[in-house]
C-alpha cells in the first residue's frame, strides 16, 4: 500500500489544476505585457486569477500580488512593514517562537538592521495568547506577524482576536496563512488582516506560485527590481500557467471545503485515537483547534528519523516536522517552543492527510506506526533506561 501522509509539506496537484496549467502553456503562452492578442489573452487569464484569488479571502483584486510562493510573500510582507516602521521611527516587531523559518530568518535579518523583535511564547496547547500579545505592544511597534496555522502541529491561532487588537492599537498585522488558505475559511476584512501570505502547492496547486495580500493604502516594498509587473511591486514576467493552475486549485478547494473538512476530521480523529493507544505517546498541540488534516505525535524512546525510514519501507510518506528542517539533527523549534524536552521532541511524527485517504489506508497507517514504534523501542537505549527505571517517563 502507498500512502502519502505529508500534505503539509506539499500536495499532489489536482487534475483540474494540471489541465489548466497545460492549457495555459499550450494556448496562453504570450507575455502578459505584450500588446498583441496572445499576450493580452495571457493578461486576461492573469487578471481573472487575481479576481478569483481575491474573492476567496474577501479582498479586492488590486490587493493581490502574485509571488513565487509563501517564502517570498513572507519576506515581502515583513520588509514592507519594516520600511514603513523605519520611516516612522517604529522599530519593534512582535511575532511568535514557532513561526516558519521564512518569517524567523527574515526577522533575524531585520534585527541586524536595528529592529527589536519580541517573540511571544507559544503555550503547551500550541497557541499564542491574545492578552500576551496586547501586553507586548509598544508605542514603537510597527508590525505583528503571527501565523494562521502552524505547519508542524497544525494549531490554528486566534487570528480574529489578534487582528482586532492590532487594529485597536493601529499596528500592522501580517499572517503567514500558507497552511490555512484552501483549508480554512478566511476573511481578511472580518479578521482585520493587513497582509497575508499563501502558497499554491499547499492546496493542490503547483509549486512556485503563491500570493501576498496587502490591504489597500499600505505602500508595498518590492524585493525584485525590474519591469512594472504586479503594479511595479514584483518585477519579472508573470508565471501565468502556475498562477492560473494555483487559482483553479484554490477555487476547487474552497468549493469542496465543507466536505473535505468533514472527511479530514474523521480521518484525523481516528488517527489520533489509534496512535494514542501506543503507550507513552502524546499528541502535540490542541486536539480541537488544529487543521482538520493534521495529527502530530511525540513517542518516548524513539528517534524520528528511523521512524520515518521504516514507515517509508512500508510505503508511507510522512514527516517528523517541517520539510524545510528535515535533514537537520536539531529537534523541531516548534516542539521546543511548546515545551517538549529535547529527547521527546526528537521522536516526533507529523501525519498530514488529505480528504481522499480511505478508511483502509487509515487503519494501515495506525497499524504500521504501532509496529514500527514497538520495533524501534526494542533496541533503543533510552527506552531500556526508561523501562529499567534509570530514567523517568515524561509522557
Ligand atoms: C507556514 C509556512 N510558511 C511558509 C512556507 C514556505 O512556502 P513556500 O514553500 O511556498 O515558499 C511554508 C512551507 O512549508 C509553510 O508551511
Amino acid at each position: 500500500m502507498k500512502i502519502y501522509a505529508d500534505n503539509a509539506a506539499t500536495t499532489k496537484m489536482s487534475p483540474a489544476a494540471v489541465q489548466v496549467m497545460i492549457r495555459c502553456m499550450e494556448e496562453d503562452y504570450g507575455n502578459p505585457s505584450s500588446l498583441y492578442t496572445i499576450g493580452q489573452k495571457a493578461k486576461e487569464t492573469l487578471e481573472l486569477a487575481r479576481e478569483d484569488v481575491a474573492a476567496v479571502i474577501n479582498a479586492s483584486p488590486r490587493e493581490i500580488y502574485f509571488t513565487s510562493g509563501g517564502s517570498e510573500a513572507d519576506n515581502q510582507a515583513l520588509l514592507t512593514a519594516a520600511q514603513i516602521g523605519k520611516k516612522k521611527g517604529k522599530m519593534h516587531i512582535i511575532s511568535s517562537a514557532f513561526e516558519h523559518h521564512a518569517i524567523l530568518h527574515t526577522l533575524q535579518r531585520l534585527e541586524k538592521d536595528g529592529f527589536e523583535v519580541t517573540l511571544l511564547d507559544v503555550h503547551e496547547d500550541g497557541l499564542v495568547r491574545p492578552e500576551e500579545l496586547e501586553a507586548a505592544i509598544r508605542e514603537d511597534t510597527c508590525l505583528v506577524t503571527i501565523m494562521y496555522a502552524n505547519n508542524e502541529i497544525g494549531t490554528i491561532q486566534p487570528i480574529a482576536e489578534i487582528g482586532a487588537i492590532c487594529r485597536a492599537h493601529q499596528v500592522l498585522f501580517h499572517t503567514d496563512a500558507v497552511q490555512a488558505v484552501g483549508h480554512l475559511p478566511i476573511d481578511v476584512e472580518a479578521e482585520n488582516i493587513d497582509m497575508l501570505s499563501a502558497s499554491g502547492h499547499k492546496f493542490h496547486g503547483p509549486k512556485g506560485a503563491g500570493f501576498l495580500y496587502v490591504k489597500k493604502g499600505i505602500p508595498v516594498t518590492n524585493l525584485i527590481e525590474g519591469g512594472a509587473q504586479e503594479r511595479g511591486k514584483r518585477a519579472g514576467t508573470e508565471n501565468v500557467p502556475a498562477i492560473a493552475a494555483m487559482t483553479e486549485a484554490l477555487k476547487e478547494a474552497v468549493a469542496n471545503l465543507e466536505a473535505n473538512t468533514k472527511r479530514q476530521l474523521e480521518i484525523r480523529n481516528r488517527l489520533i485515537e489509534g496512535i494514542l493507544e501506543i503507550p507513552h505517546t502524546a499528541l502535540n498541540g490542541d486536539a480541537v483547534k488544529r487543521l482538520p488534516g493534521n495529527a502530530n505525535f511525540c513517542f518516548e524512546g524513539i528517534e524520528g528519523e528511523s521512524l520515518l525510514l521504516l514507515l517509508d519501507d512500508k510505503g508511507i510518506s510522512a514527516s517528523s516536522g517541517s520539510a524545510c528542517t528535515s535533514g537537520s539533527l536539531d529537534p523541531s523549534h516548534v516542539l521546543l517552543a511548546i515545551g517538549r524536552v529535547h529527547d521527546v521532541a526528537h521522536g516526533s511524527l507529523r501525519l498530514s492527510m488529505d480528504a481522499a485517504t480511505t478508511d483502509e489506508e487509515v487503519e494501515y497507517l495506525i497499524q504500521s506506526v504501532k509496529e514500527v514504534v514497538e520495533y524501534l523501542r526494542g533496541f533503543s537505549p533510552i527506552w531500556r533506561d526508561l523501562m529499567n527505571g534509570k530514567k523517568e517517563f515524561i509522557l
Side-chain angles (χ1 to χ4, degrees):
M1 202 177 273
K2 289 255 175 278
I3 304 178
Y4 184 69
D6 204 13
N7 287 277
T10 197
T11 55
K12 183 179 174 183
M13 272 181 76
S14 88
V18 172
Q19 285 311 310
V20 167
M21 195 149 178
I22 292 172
R23 183 186 56 72
C24 271
M25 289 191 287
E26 287 181 346
E27 294 169 24
D28 297 350
Y29 53 83
N31 186 323
S33 301
S34 300
L35 290 180
Y36 45 75
T37 311
I38 298 179
Q40 288 309 297
K41 184 83 195 350
K43 171 97 178 149
E44 199 183 307
T45 301
L46 186 67
E47 294 316 319
L48 281 175
R50 205 182 302 283
E51 281 174 25
D52 287 340
V53 163
V56 166
I57 58 167
N58 191 25
S60 96
R62 288 184 65 78
E63 296 173 316
I64 302 296
Y65 299 84
F66 289 118
T67 67
S68 65
S71 301
E72 185 187 329
D74 282 345
N75 275 256
Q76 191 162 17
L78 267 52
L79 296 183
T80 289
Q83 189 76 13
I84 297 167
K86 214 174 205 174
K87 277 194 187 139
K88 294 183 176 165
K90 294 186 168 193
M91 302 283 282
H92 177 233
I93 299 175
I94 301 173
S95 188
S96 79
F98 78 160
E99 297 295 312
H100 189 271
H101 286 117
I103 297 289
L104 292 176
H105 290 169
T106 310
L107 290 174
Q108 281 167 12
R109 183 194 282 194
L110 289 173
E111 278 182 316
K112 287 194 191 121
D113 210 21
F115 283 84
E116 199 185 323
V117 175
T118 300
L119 293 183
L120 296 177
D121 281 340
V122 183
H123 289 244
E124 208 186 323
D125 55 9
L127 299 165
V128 296
R129 297 289 184 266
E131 59 276 16
E132 291 175 16
L133 162 71
E134 186 152 33
I137 293 179
R138 312 188 316 210
E139 278 295 301
D140 62 341
T141 306
C142 63
L143 172 72
V144 169
T145 174
I146 302 285
M147 69 201 319
Y148 209 109
N150 183 266
N151 46 306
E152 291 188 33
I153 58 174
T155 47
I156 302 167
Q157 303 307 308
I159 292 298
E161 280 177 74
I162 294 173
I165 292 169
C166 292
R167 191 54 54 89
H169 291 268
Q170 297 194 338
V171 173
L172 285 178
F173 174 39
H174 165 254
T175 185
D176 172 344
V178 166
Q179 294 288 336
V181 170
H183 300 276
L184 297 172
I186 296 179
D187 182 330
V188 291
E189 280 297 321
E191 294 168 281
N192 286 312
I193 298 167
D194 296 310
M195 292 188 278
L196 173 147
S197 310
S199 179
H201 73 103
K202 306 291 185 177
F203 49 79
H204 302 281
K207 291 154 190 65
F211 64 90
L212 172 66
Y213 151 80
V214 183
K215 195 177 174 61
K216 199 171 96 221
I218 298 173
V220 178
T221 296
N222 45 353
L223 303 184
I224 304 172
E225 300 291 350
Q229 291 91 351
E230 299 299 298
R231 295 186 301 288
K233 300 304 178 192
R234 203 272 183 180
T237 305
E238 301 88 339
N239 187 354
V240 181
I243 291 169
M246 166 177 74
T247 307
E248 181 66 22
L250 184 57
K251 286 196 295 184
E252 214 181 352
V254 171
N256 298 320
L257 192 65
E258 212 174 303
N260 283 348
T261 302
K262 185 168 172 282
R263 175 65 188 143
Q264 281 177 305
L265 285 175
E266 283 166 9
I267 297 167
R268 182 193 83 188
N269 293 343
R270 173 66 195 126
L271 280 177
I272 292 176
E273 178 190 54
I275 290 176
L276 287 184
E277 282 168 9
I278 303 171
H280 305 289
T281 298
L283 179 71
N284 291 314
D286 192 272
V288 178
K289 291 177 188 160
R290 64 190 306 131
L291 289 168
N294 174 294
N296 186 312
F297 306 93
C298 275
F299 305 96
E300 207 145 357
I302 292 287
E303 275 287 340
E305 308 286 298
S306 340
L307 179 64
L308 296 187
L309 293 176
L310 292 177
L311 286 176
D312 190 28
D313 286 346
K314 289 178 177 286
I316 297 167
S317 308
S319 149
S320 60
S322 77
C324 319
T325 46
S326 54
S328 101
L329 285 176
D330 292 335
S332 137
H333 72 288
V334 172
L335 297 179
L336 296 180
I338 64 167
R340 295 283 185 221
V341 297
H342 273 67
D343 274 4
V344 167
H346 266 302
S348 64
L349 174 69
R350 176 184 70 184
L351 301 172
S352 45
M353 314 305 299
D354 82 6
T357 317
T358 65
D359 286 346
E360 198 193 353
E361 287 169 339
V362 173
E363 293 313 315
Y364 177 75
L365 202 43
I366 295 170
Q367 196 47 41
S368 302
V369 173
K370 283 182 175 173
E371 283 168 17
V372 171
V373 169
E374 194 180 331
Y375 173 76
L376 287 173
R377 280 177 174 170
F379 51 83
S380 153
I382 299 177
W383 185 252
R384 200 179 46 224
D385 286 352
L386 288 164
M387 295 304 277
N388 291 341
K390 286 190 189 154
K391 256 179 151 208
E392 290 215 357
F393 282 107
I394 299 164
L395 303 178

